[in-house]
Amino acid sequence: FAAWLERVAVDRRAEYDEIVAYHLEQAYRYRAELGPPDAHAQELALRAGTLLADAGERADARADVAATVELLSRAVELLPADLPRRRRLLSTLGIGFYDAGDGPRAEEILTDAIAEADRAGDEGASARAALVLVQVHSSTRSTEMSETLSETERLADILARVGDEAGARLAQAWIAFILFAMGRAAEAAQRGRALVELGDGDELWQREAQTTVGVSLHFGPTPVEQAIAWIQASIDRAEGARHADGGYLGIGRLRALQGRFAEARKHSARGRASAEDVGNRHLLANAMGTLGEIEYREGNLAEAARLIRESYDAMIATGDRAFASTIAVALGEVLLDLDEDNEAWQFGTIARETSSTDDVMSQAGGRAVQARVVSRRGDHDTAEALAREAVEIMARTDYLVHHGEALVHLAHVLWQAGKVDEALAAAREATALYEQKGATVLVDQTERLIDVWTG
């Protein structure tokens, strides 16, 4: 049947690859049930595995995580263990399992991929799998970002030396993201843009570079409208590709900073739908957190707490620690406003203890949440020390909004301690940062707070 279908569908071959592969796969398995696979059975397995690999790579190009995992899992089971292509497919499969929310399985596949490549003397395949594993470990084990950066740079050099251009560019895209996560958003955006300008294709390194630029523009010093314009242009260039919809989450968060909450919800809901459609559980957890952040910005605290808690639980379920620690900060801040101080303290502690020491958002945010709780309990000296540590961490970054929020937390702590002038100075400094970003909703909120404190 597979042979017949290949003949009649010759002009539309790619559309039928998965169906042809399925029948070749079944033919192979039937023969294997009848006895040890002979040369013909092995040929069937190779043909089926090759077609499944082709289909899996097309699924990966359109960021369809569920299809990528399903197709490539079958492909690597059928292809010969000593086939160079199979060794490289394992890296893509490892990323797929990570995005699908199975961090432990991703680690297992990538560890095995490194071992297989080393046995075969395939330095390039080993470096590619190690590159992916380093990024997975940065999330599942919260390894120090400085260590992740150093190892990623080392692997980038190896991949460039062995001629794996796509692998080397992927490493460069991830280097840019690590720099962003360390608080160097403007530099990360510049590096990411340089990669994006190399082409508008669907390779993983191009998608990762676009993601890095988007988040760097969102968190960094780029004004809101300029950031939205770049992200929207990136989406338009992708012409409706599934992976482009992740950019809508960024637009949603940025619109929320302007107080345009209906638009923010619309864009973020599209990002959430995309994540569900392609089976990307990491993106879905992020989408839930984005929707929660929008509710928080508008003052809908109960709904914000529900959504952000769901986001945190979903991220933890994937095996992730690093991204979950940042969500813990967001949940702690909402719980503060709900006067749930004990639980807020718990999530502030989680943020600090489950993240790397150079994870600026989690370390600063965790301290800020803890400072507010301690302040309410009357320990003003400890509260001020924690709040100032948070501000000091954020001051070393170019995250305007998060720096401003750390200053607002400090202002609350100082106000509780009776240091009115210092509290007002911190709040006004935060307002200036918000104005620089174009975060009008935060400018308004902070100015109202100042008005209350000045009577």
Side-chain angles (χ1 to χ4, degrees):
F1 180 81
W4 170 81
L5 186 57
E6 285 181 306
R7 288 196 303 273
V8 299
V10 64
D11 294 331
R12 300 168 63 188
R13 172 69 180 275
E15 297 177 36
Y16 290 94
D17 272 357
E18 290 181 41
I19 300 173
V20 172
Y22 168 79
H23 288 286
L24 292 173
E25 180 183 22
Q26 294 305 303
Y28 163 74
R29 296 196 184 283
Y30 289 145
R31 292 181 68 89
E33 288 178 10
L34 295 172
D38 57 14
H40 180 56
Q42 292 169 2
E43 180 188 353
L44 289 173
L46 177 60
R47 289 173 61 200
T50 299
L51 290 174
L52 288 169
D54 291 343
E57 288 180 332
R58 287 195 296 272
D60 178 59
R62 62 179 186 268
D64 189 335
V65 175
T68 300
V69 169
E70 193 263 336
L71 292 166
L72 293 188
S73 293
R74 290 161 59 196
V76 299
E77 186 178 346
L78 291 165
L79 292 173
D82 59 352
L83 192 70
R85 184 184 186 187
R86 181 182 182 277
R87 291 194 289 271
R88 284 161 174 74
L89 288 174
L90 289 171
S91 294
T92 307
L93 182 58
I95 297 172
F97 269 106
Y98 173 76
D99 287 339
D102 194 342
R105 179 62 178 144
E107 291 180 337
E108 180 183 354
I109 288 171
L110 294 165
T111 300
D112 289 345
I114 294 169
E116 289 185 21
D118 287 344
R119 285 195 296 271
D122 190 338
E123 187 180 17
S126 178
R128 176 74 81 101
L131 172 68
V132 180
L133 185 59
V134 166
Q135 313 313 313
V136 172
H137 280 167
S138 72
S139 293
T140 59
R141 302 185 182 185
S142 291
T143 51
E144 292 296 304
M145 291 187 185
S146 57
E147 295 177 11
T148 301
L149 177 61
S150 176
E151 182 64 6
T152 303
E153 289 173 336
R154 185 185 72 83
L155 293 166
D157 290 341
I158 294 174
L159 290 164
R161 176 168 54 78
V162 300
D164 185 351
E165 182 180 68
R169 288 179 175 178
L170 178 60
Q172 292 299 327
W174 279 337
I175 287 169
F177 184 83
I178 297 163
L179 292 172
F180 152 73
M182 295 174 73
R184 296 155 64 179
E187 181 183 354
Q190 183 179 13
R191 284 173 172 255
R193 275 199 184 103
L195 287 168
V196 170
E197 289 169 1
L198 293 175
D200 292 323
D202 291 322
E203 290 196 59
L204 179 60
W205 64 266
Q206 294 167 314
R207 305 199 306 263
E208 292 295 315
Q210 288 179 347
T211 296
T212 294
V213 176
V215 297
S216 298
L217 295 178
H218 170 212
F219 287 93
T222 304
V224 167
E225 282 296 340
Q226 292 181 29
I228 289 174
W230 191 93
I231 296 171
Q232 186 62 62
S234 176
I235 292 171
D236 293 343
R237 285 195 302 271
E239 298 179 349
R242 281 175 163 175
H243 63 79
D245 285 343
Y248 283 100
L249 296 178
I251 294 178
R253 283 180 162 174
L254 289 163
R255 286 300 185 206
L257 292 177
Q258 297 177 315
R260 296 165 66 170
F261 299 114
E263 291 180 55
R265 288 190 186 90
K266 180 184 73 174
H267 285 100
S268 298
R270 180 164 181 175
R272 175 185 177 178
S274 174
E276 291 177 331
D277 186 34
V278 303
N280 191 325
R281 291 179 63 193
H282 268 88
L283 185 60
L284 180 58
N286 184 29
M288 298 305 297
T290 299
L291 289 165
E293 180 181 322
I294 293 166
E295 297 299 329
Y296 179 58
R297 299 289 187 209
E298 194 172 15
N300 302 321
L301 299 181
E303 181 65 2
R306 183 188 71 81
L307 288 167
I308 297 174
R309 192 185 300 275
E310 184 175 340
S311 172
Y312 176 80
D313 291 342
M315 196 64 79
I316 287 293
T318 70
D320 182 280
R321 286 164 54 90
F323 287 106
S325 70
T326 304
I327 300 170
V329 171
L331 183 53
E333 290 177 328
V334 178
L335 292 168
L336 281 173
D337 287 353
L338 288 169
D339 295 323
E340 299 287 348
D341 287 1
N342 289 337
E343 197 173 13
W345 172 271
Q346 175 188 348
F347 279 98
T349 303
I350 288 171
R352 294 182 62 183
E353 293 184 351
T354 62
S355 61
S356 64
T357 61
D358 51 1
D359 182 336
V360 292
M361 283 197 282
S362 297
Q363 290 296 328
R367 283 171 169 80
V369 170
Q370 289 180 328
R372 294 287 301 282
V373 174
V374 172
S375 174
R376 290 175 179 180
R377 293 172 179 172
D379 187 351
H380 300 302
D381 290 342
T382 301
E384 183 176 345
L386 283 167
R388 289 194 182 281
E389 285 177 14
V391 171
E392 182 181 353
I393 292 170
M394 294 314 304
R396 296 195 295 267
T397 76
D398 55 5
Y399 294 176
L400 298 184
V401 168
H402 284 76
H403 185 186
E405 289 176 330
L407 284 163
V408 170
H409 285 304
L410 173 61
H412 279 284
V413 167
L414 292 168
W415 177 262
Q416 288 285 340
K419 299 181 178 182
V420 177
D421 290 343
E422 292 181 57
L424 292 172
R428 289 179 178 128
E429 187 178 350
T431 301
L433 292 172
Y434 295 150
E435 288 174 340
Q436 184 180 343
K437 181 67 179 178
T440 53
V441 72
L442 298 180
V443 171
D444 293 343
Q445 289 173 1
T446 310
E447 287 182 341
R448 287 197 297 272
L449 181 65
I450 292 171
D451 289 341
V452 170
W453 285 348
T454 55

